[in-house]
Amino acid sequence: MPLIPEEPQIHESAQGPRATPATGRTAPTPRPVPGPRPAAPSRPGRPGPVRPAPPVQRAPRDVAGAKPGPSGPAASVAPAPASATPQIQLIPASPEGALDAAEEAVDLLLDSGRAPGEVLVITTGEQHPWATHELSFGDTSYWAQHDAGDDVFYTDASVASRATARPVIVVAVNGGSDTAAADVLPLALGKAGALLIVCGDAQRINSVLGAGV
């Protein structure tokens, strides 16, 4: 059946913190989950010259005039029971806002207790800035960080088949061809152990998937 847009929420066996649909890069929605995020493990050192600091992956945003998130205590995310089919969550967003929506989803997952190494983010259009930065040091170094599995890993649809399965896969449909989206969504579903989150235009996603996922 086609995916039906839901009120954005990150949930597994129990409802988790809610995420507001992203409306564009110029006005990303604030994270509704208060409190500090667990620190991500530092990446293993690599020999060679000192590198410039990579782009910040999940820097807090302070957008003037942004609407506050839902009030009240945030719900915790309970571990999902073992299942052959992961849960699917659709977060409506424009192509320009899909990457920001994916970042908000990652923030919520980490705030809810997910380890960074359990999350893989796939883009269908423009690469995430972190991936662009790391690829500038070479393909081998980039994939070594994937294999280390100690942090959120960002890749794009063209090489997503090389990534290994992770408990949570987040797909940002932030451009690219309909063929790329149609190919990567079933692939991501197969790699997601517990949860697949798709950020993008609901009509486009349903049109490329038809009666698939």
Side-chain angles (χ1 to χ4, degrees):
M1 295 178 60
L3 291 174
I4 299 175
E6 305 173 2
E7 180 179 353
Q9 55 183 345
I10 307 303
H11 62 84
E12 296 184 21
S13 61
Q15 181 174 317
R18 297 179 180 273
T20 306
T23 58
R25 290 183 179 278
T26 57
T29 53
R31 293 184 296 133
V33 180
R37 181 188 321 127
S42 58
R43 299 192 184 94
R46 295 185 294 277
V50 177
R51 299 177 178 180
V56 177
Q57 296 183 31
R58 296 173 293 278
R61 301 181 180 92
D62 184 10
V63 180
K67 295 181 180 180
S71 59
S76 60
V77 176
S83 173
T85 303
Q87 296 183 14
I88 304 173
Q89 175 72 43
L90 171 62
I91 299 180
S94 66
E96 296 77 17
L99 193 57
D100 283 337
E103 281 288 87
E104 296 294 337
V106 171
D107 286 341
L108 288 171
L109 289 163
L110 299 184
D111 286 341
S112 300
R114 275 285 177 189
E118 295 182 343
V119 183
L120 171 69
V121 179
I122 303 172
T123 58
T124 63
E126 178 185 358
Q127 285 184 331
H128 188 279
W130 181 90
T132 301
H133 175 84
E134 292 301 323
L135 281 167
S136 69
F137 298 106
D139 190 71
T140 300
S141 175
Y142 171 74
W143 285 103
Q145 295 186 62
H146 164 272
D147 296 341
D150 57 3
D151 202 355
V152 179
F153 190 77
Y154 296 83
T155 191
D156 65 78
S158 66
V159 293
S161 60
R162 183 171 173 179
T164 57
R166 291 199 180 190
V168 182
I169 307 293
V170 181
V171 177
V173 185
N174 62 329
S177 66
D178 286 348
T179 300
D183 289 344
V184 79
L185 290 174
L187 176 70
L189 181 64
K191 290 181 180 294
L195 180 64
L196 170 64
I197 301 171
V198 184
C199 305
D201 180 79
Q203 184 175 359
R204 181 187 181 195
I205 292 169
N206 283 319
S207 69
V208 298
L209 287 179
V213 178

